[in-house]
Amino acid sequence: MVSRVIPVDEFDLVIFGGTGDLARRKILPGLFRRFLSGQMPAGSRIIGAARSELEGDGYRQMIADAVAEFGGEESRNKKGLEAFLKQLEYVAIDARGEGGWSDLAAIVRQDVVQAFYFSVAPSLFGDLAERLHTNKIANAQSRIVVEKPFGRDLETARELNQTLAAHFDESQIYRIDHYLGKETVQNLMAVRFGNVLFEPLWNNHYVDHIQITVAETVGVGGRGAYYDKSGAMRDMVQNHLMQLLCLIAMEPPGQFEADAVRDEKLKVIRALQSIDHHHIVRGQYDAGPDGPSYREDAENPRSFTESFIAMRCHIANWRWAGVPFYLRTGKRMKARSSEIAVVFKDLGHTIFEGDEARHRNILAIRLQPNEGIDLQVTIKEPGPGGMRLIDVPLDMTFADALGDGAEDVTDAYERLIMDVIRGNQTLFMRGDEVEAAWAWTDPLINSWEARNDVPKHYDAGSAGPEDAMMLLHRDGRKWREIKG
């Protein structure tokens, strides 16, 4: 199976923070792959903009090194890389001053698609937005891409939205969450809304509960100081897990169009009930053979910030009344794994007896690693001697199902940047969506901070604190095993 590549219109993409880690690791290597695929028109240009005093050749060499390090197999295409580098420009710029803006204005064209990627700290968003207009670089069709964090609470999120809205219309603002660019996340919508098999079962009559897990094996490492002011709730739940929850729980939109999809996601967030503190478990990893403890990584021996969180959520609407959604995410866990599991109810009546009756259908969507989808079904175990039932997966692992085409599955950043150029906001968060998520999140954070709640300790390389296991055991359920 070969994926179909649809070229985009000619564009100028300005990457503020063009020498930064994200640009070198993800954005530029991803754009190089899109270039090799034929999706980038030959006349398009990528313009790096940062404080560093570099010449164009120096920047191109920096990106060549980055592609060699992070670009995968495609980086061996020397001829392709040479052609790609010719489309790169660089401008040394002062985000809060006047330096470099006239140079940028002279380069950026007005007769092609304009996109400005703010790969910088949110504190610079306002300065960049203002200077793009003051120097008459941006126009009414320009698009800006902003990275999380979109504030650290409702108040700062509103301030950030107001800052951007002072210079750009909401239709021009693309709040990027790379989780939504993952192929399997989008396949979730295809599975739900493209198959008559699932949508009739996607409700509280047939679904027992839903689990969403994002587990990481790495600690906070060099991000310790930043992470200690954030924690798993702000860093992961408020954005990544919230978006996965919305896609799982939302009503079918009237059409597959940006605002129609985002309207339905917003309804889910607004229907989320508040959570009793007994249904939230926070944790910190201890030191292990592979690294120091969270408090050592954060350089804060009295830190109360969580590196792990698990919770039970409920959505107050007709479709999901009574169905618990269990969310968990953590650092330094036993395996790197992101998964959504829809666990269906037991049969209302079974003709089988004893242990043979205890089987459930589970639809598991694997986001990483080994992206794919499998449906656990019950069959008879082969062989004579009675009716012995076993659970087996109907497996669609992308690498197996797509064959050579699996190598063509685009990285999340590649897909999302191309969507920016197309003007498609379906996979990007809207301002009211961000604010609604913080409006739900803030009271939970304020509650545990008011109680001086101390996170539970858990072993590095484990599945999290024991209290998280009990969160489901009390309900007669158990977490799915975290597998790499």
Side-chain angles (χ1 to χ4, degrees):
M1 183 183 296
V2 179
S3 60
R4 187 159 57 102
V5 174
I6 303 174
V8 298
D9 293 334
E10 190 172 327
F11 63 87
D12 279 355
L13 171 63
V14 179
I15 305 173
F16 292 106
T19 60
D21 191 62
L22 179 63
R24 292 184 301 104
R25 284 177 175 269
K26 290 290 186 180
I27 299 174
L28 271 304
L31 287 168
F32 173 55
R33 286 190 287 270
R34 291 300 88 212
F35 175 81
L36 290 181
S37 75
Q39 196 163 22
M40 273 181 60
S44 296
R45 294 183 307 173
I46 301 163
I47 304 162
R51 290 177 299 177
S52 303
E53 293 292 338
L54 287 171
E55 297 294 333
D57 287 342
Y59 185 63
R60 284 185 277 272
Q61 184 58 54
M62 174 188 289
I63 300 310
D65 294 341
V67 169
E69 185 174 358
F70 304 112
E73 291 294 321
E74 290 89 347
S75 63
R76 299 179 182 177
N77 187 332
K78 302 301 182 185
K79 186 176 180 180
L81 181 57
E82 287 178 11
F84 174 70
L85 293 174
K86 290 178 182 178
Q87 297 190 236
L88 268 60
E89 305 277 355
Y90 181 78
V91 175
I93 208 155
D94 181 358
R96 290 193 165 127
E98 300 306 318
W101 288 99
S102 59
D103 295 333
L104 184 62
I107 293 176
V108 177
R109 297 171 290 176
Q110 296 294 320
D111 59 347
V112 299
V113 174
Q114 291 182 350
F116 302 95
Y117 201 124
F118 291 7
S119 182
V120 296
S123 60
L124 295 176
F125 288 177
D127 296 294
L128 294 176
E130 179 182 358
R131 280 161 177 75
L132 283 172
H133 280 281
T134 301
N135 292 278
K136 296 182 171 56
I137 300 172
N139 58 46
Q141 286 73 47
S142 299
R143 293 130 201 197
I144 62 168
V145 185
V146 294
E147 282 277 350
K148 78 178 186 84
F150 311 117
R152 59 172 280 108
D153 52 28
L154 179 57
E155 181 182 358
T156 55
R158 281 176 173 162
E159 290 174 356
L160 182 56
N161 282 338
Q162 290 167 1
T163 296
L164 296 175
H167 303 284
F168 291 93
D169 186 78
E170 179 64 33
S171 64
Q172 297 178 276
I173 303 170
Y174 291 71
R175 298 171 185 83
I176 194 167
D177 184 339
H178 71 275
Y179 260 66
L180 295 188
K182 290 181 179 294
E183 193 72 25
T184 326
V185 174
Q186 294 168 74
N187 251 316
L188 172 58
M189 288 190 281
V191 167
R192 276 199 62 187
F193 305 130
N195 295 279
V196 71
L197 178 64
F198 292 112
E199 185 56 28
L201 308 179
W202 216 263
N203 54 60
N204 56 6
H205 297 296
Y206 298 98
V207 175
D208 179 78
H209 71 279
I210 292 174
Q211 298 182 23
I212 302 176
T213 296
V214 178
E216 301 176 272
T217 54
V218 297
V220 298
R223 298 175 65 223
Y226 159 77
Y227 194 93
D228 205 44
K229 297 176 182 177
S230 172
M233 187 67 160
R234 289 187 173 98
D235 189 56
M236 292 294 292
V237 175
Q238 186 274 337
N239 41 72
H240 297 329
L241 272 71
M242 181 75 73
Q243 290 297 306
L244 299 180
L245 172 64
C246 287
L247 292 178
I248 277 283
M250 72 182 191
E251 293 297 315
Q255 55 189 336
F256 191 60
E257 184 271 332
D259 277 330
V261 171
R262 297 190 293 181
D263 285 344
E264 297 304 334
K265 288 162 59 184
L266 180 61
K267 291 176 186 177
V268 173
I269 300 173
R270 288 177 172 169
L272 276 170
Q273 295 179 316
S274 60
I275 305 178
D276 186 274
H277 70 90
H278 295 299
H279 297 149
I280 299 176
V281 177
R282 301 165 63 241
Q284 285 182 349
Y285 59 82
D286 286 330
D290 297 326
S293 69
Y294 170 80
R295 291 184 173 186
E296 290 171 320
D297 275 338
E299 298 182 350
N300 182 358
R302 298 181 60 82
S303 173
F304 286 175
T305 302
E306 74 283 354
S307 63
F308 172 98
I309 191 166
M311 62 181 67
R312 187 179 81 182
C313 307
H314 285 272
I315 298 171
N317 62 21
W318 285 98
R319 182 182 288 265
W320 297 114
V323 176
F325 288 72
Y326 298 101
L327 279 57
R328 66 173 168 173
T329 181
K331 302 283 190 184
R332 293 291 300 278
M333 300 186 75
K334 65 185 298 184
R336 175 175 173 265
S337 175
S338 296
E339 180 192 77
I340 302 167
V342 180
V343 182
F344 292 93
K345 290 184 176 181
D346 290 331
L347 290 168
H349 171 73
T350 178
I351 62 174
F352 306 108
E353 298 180 354
D355 290 341
E356 298 305 325
R358 297 175 187 165
H359 296 268
R360 274 184 173 171
N361 300 123
I362 300 174
L363 179 68
I365 300 102
R366 300 187 305 276
L367 309 181
Q368 63 182 20
N370 304 321
E371 292 186 344
I373 299 171
D374 67 62
L375 175 64
Q376 181 175 294
V377 296
T378 302
I379 66 169
K380 177 188 177 295
E381 185 177 16
M387 183 64 72
R388 298 185 303 275
L389 304 184
I390 58 172
D391 294 327
V392 298
L394 297 177
D395 189 354
M396 194 204 78
T397 299
F398 282 177
D400 297 333
L402 302 182
D404 293 340
E407 298 177 2
D408 298 327
V409 173
T410 56
D411 177 79
Y413 276 98
E414 297 175 47
R415 176 182 301 278
L416 293 173
I417 293 173
M418 291 298 102
D419 277 354
V420 172
I421 304 303
R422 292 189 187 97
N424 184 350
Q425 289 185 307
T426 305
L427 299 175
F428 298 83
M429 285 179 280
R430 204 166 57 192
D432 54 359
E433 197 180 339
V434 172
E435 291 182 18
W438 280 119
W440 179 77
T441 304
D442 277 0
L444 304 179
I445 297 174
N446 294 339
S447 175
W448 71 57
E449 287 181 346
R451 296 192 311 272
N452 289 321
D453 184 59
V454 180
K456 309 293 182 183
H457 290 268
Y458 63 95
D459 292 335
S462 72
E466 284 297 320
D467 289 45
M469 307 299 118
M470 293 303 300
L471 184 65
L472 270 72
H473 289 171
R474 288 196 299 266
D475 296 340
R477 302 181 177 99
K478 64 179 181 179
W479 288 108
R480 284 170 57 83
E481 184 181 355
I482 296 174
K483 297 179 180 179

